[in-house]
Amino acid sequence: MATPRPTHQNPQPNFHDFFPAMAGKLGGEGLIDELCKGFELLMDGDKGVITFESLRRNASAVLGLGDLTDDDVRCMIEEGDFDRDGALNQMEFCVLMFRLSPDLMDASRCVVTEAIEEEFGDRTHRH
């Protein structure tokens, strides 16, 4: 059975989320390094960002996602394009990858919550 592609009608495809396993194996810094390498594979080398054209070309050539439509690619760019410049910079790409991984987002929230509680919890006990 084919995995549905992300589209405006079906923005949440069924796929196995490998990011939590990667994060567990590589650690936080290792995962960010791998995301940065992925960004470099997909970006337009001259512009230093992922453009519609570079994602369209490289998603097929590098990732083997040749069946993506122009609407699919446009939707992916729009989903992560926080500054609305029509492209994804490295930070937008990494944030998008985290957002697309619900389990990784949950784990990230736990780490941030623990850090906040540790930092502010210690301060409230000192006074």
Side-chain angles (χ1 to χ4, degrees), residues 38-70 72-74 76-77:
F39 173 81
E40 290 174 7
L41 290 172
L42 297 172
M43 76 176 188
D44 178 308
D46 294 332
K47 296 180 181 176
V49 294
I50 297 174
T51 63
F52 173 86
E53 295 79 16
S54 72
L55 182 57
R56 183 83 176 111
R57 178 182 59 250
N58 296 329
S60 176
V62 176
L63 302 178
L65 299 175
D67 63 342
L68 290 176
T69 67
D70 286 354
D72 294 338
V73 174
R74 198 170 292 110
M76 293 168 93
I77 295 287

